[in-house]
Amino acid sequence: NLESGLLLGGLLAFLIMFLFLKDFKSPLLIGISVPLSLAISLLFFFLFNISINIISLSGLILGVGMMIDNSIIVIDNISQYREQGMSVFKSCIKGTNEVIRPLISSVLTTCVVFVPLIFLSGISGALFYDQAMAVTIGLGVSLIVSFTIIPVYFKLFYRKDGQTKDRTSSLSTLMGNISFYGHIEDTYARIFNFVFLHKRWFFSGALVLMIAGVFLFRFIEKERFPAFKQTEMVYHIDWNRNINTAENFKRIESLLSASDSLIAQSSCLIGEQNFVLDKSNKMCASESQLYINTKTESDLAMLDRNILEFVQKHYPDAIVKASPPETVFEKVFDSQSAPLEVRFKSKNRQEPPDAEEVNTLIKEVTKLSGIAPEDKLNLQKYYELIPNYEKMLLYGVSVDEMISVIKKALNRLQIFTMKNGQYQVPVFLSGEEKSIHDLIRTTTVRSSSKSNVPLSALVRVNQSAGYKLFNGGKSKTYVVVGYQVTEEEAIQLKEVFESQIKDKPYIELEYTGGIMENSSLIRELLIIMLVSVVLLYFILAAQFESLLHPFIVLIEIPIDIAGALLVLYVTGNSLNLMSLIGMIVMTGIIINDSILKIDTINRLLRDNMSVMNAIHGAGKRRLKPIIMTSATTILAMLPFLFSNDMGSRLQQPLAWSVIGGMTIGTLVSLYFIPLCYYYLAKRNVKHKC
């Protein structure tokens, strides 16, 4: 990914710079600065004890785009002074010095957005640490390279000033005097004049987009990790009956034969598995794990319906859980938990609450809310034989004698044990199978007086149910029930549960699951973004030496995010960790353009230009680097949208959010930022008057 990202980024930067500058040498400077920045970044990786891994490399990949942007800005600024007739030496000095302050502010603002992400809790924060450090190191190094190496190489490349001008002139002639950038500049000027003629309309449009962003954030699907398209599924089936492995195998065969036409490939683990090294999936004789692969997604959806209908029709007590095979990323992020999981605990005991009471509570909640759990409570029915000790004393029956008789009656009379190396196989004497009630009724126990006493007179049979599986937490054991619900349904379900356990003070509930984890992650991200915005404000206030100018840049962030959310919603993507990273990257790049533009306006105003002329002049001077940085970033994201490998599918939400945000953000930087500056300057003039 790093290699392809570097090659693609370098190639696109070369093409874009050639189209705008009509020069082969300037793109070669990118080819020097980016690899050099990466090499020095790896040196800092070594010094800070950061390993080369997927996360740190992804941070460098994200940083490559910003490294190119820093180089483009310095090269373009030097080129502008050179085109004005200044010598190469003076152009390098003046062009570089002019952008040092705004570029430092731009890098600091990007780092301020990334670095607070390391304070996220759990695995997200741990993963963001390497990424944030990689981006910070990469941008810091590229900034130093842009200020030191690029001016030196620019002077070396263009040291023969007269010959270079001749080459540039001949290149323009070769291209047929077609001014590619001239057309863009004319289009920009026309739209600029149109925007300033209809100021209120554009302010209203920006406000509508921000409000739409709030609604999009509310309604867009939120998940921890992007979902992958699936043609394979793993089914965990618990027949919920005391059956042997042969019966289990027979049921699986009938299930597969019922949907044979839809299955491309299948494999199954039936009953107890005695893996030496893998203890993560323990099953009993009544459980199976079935893997099925289909040719298309529609076949998988149809197969899923067929399996559930077959099991419900023939084995209504069975419990079926379906989940796609986990990828490496899903294993790390544990994204397979149900949207809402309810944990049942006992308040004053270590063991979980009574199974029958929990089952009754779940049924009551299902009846009131209309929302059923994704699985039935995993219970195992059993019989309790409760001895009557008073009668045993009366008839003179010993406990050992009664236990021995019951074992024989239940076909559990162990004769001997076969040993084969480290394995021991118990051998039991078995007889004709009978129901438990028939056994108790027909079995007798010999008393101390040599008389036979009916077993039914000495024991009482009680049918009960217990948990087949429960979980252990830090302090208590608990039982988990999952629900496939939306956020609104989860809120409704929690309210019903809370109302029903008021008269059950011995049961304690805890809510977890995907919705709760995602809400917690989004909440943390919002707090971190708020902290980042405050830090951004102080950095920009120091850069512009103004308390009002930073608001012009900060108002761009919600508009750009709204654009990214709109594109994600239209393309059917969710708001997830990857799309959020894309928004962070996009915000860091696009506000850099606005920072440079405002800095240029302020510099022109200090040269005694009028506000309108300064805005228009800064727009023309910064038009080329803004379009170049946006074009290279957007074009670098496009290949992800047309690839189908797992890495590309993982990056697609990131790509869409960057493309959407950059497209809107470029228009905002070109037209809306000048509009905001104009109104702010106008207000200041009135205030002074």
Side-chain angles (χ1 to χ4, degrees), residues 3 12 38 41 46 59 70 125 197 230 232 236 254 358 383 402 425 546 583 649 685:
E3 187 178 328
L12 291 170
L38 287 171
S41 297
F46 176 76
N70 290 341
L197 283 172
Q230 295 289 346
E232 51 188 359
H236 184 274
S254 60
V358 171
Y383 290 98
M402 190 175 74
V425 182
S546 167
M583 288 182 193
R649 285 184 292 172
V685 170

Side-chain angles (χ1 to χ4, degrees), residues 47 205 285 402 461 486:
L47 295 176
M402 190 175 74
V461 180
T486 61

Side-chain angles (χ1 to χ4, degrees), residues 29 138 152 179 226 245 250 257 259 301 335 342 404 436 455 550 673 684:
L29 288 170
V152 171
S179 180
T245 307
K250 182 181 174 183
S257 61
S259 303
S335 60
V342 183
S404 177
I436 187 71
L455 186 59
I673 292 295
N684 286 342

Side-chain angles (χ1 to χ4, degrees), residues 302-320:
M302 190 180 297
L303 176 74
D304 195 54
R305 287 194 299 271
N306 288 358
I307 287 176
L308 293 176
E309 287 172 3
F310 179 88
V311 172
Q312 193 172 8
K313 180 180 178 182
H314 295 92
Y315 308 104
D317 293 328
I319 299 169
V320 181

Side-chain angles (χ1 to χ4, degrees), residues 358-377:
V358 171
N359 203 23
T360 304
L361 175 61
I362 292 169
K363 288 178 180 177
E364 288 174 359
V365 170
T366 302
K367 186 177 178 182
L368 291 170
S369 64
I371 303 170
E374 62 175 340
D375 301 311
K376 298 171 186 174
L377 195 63

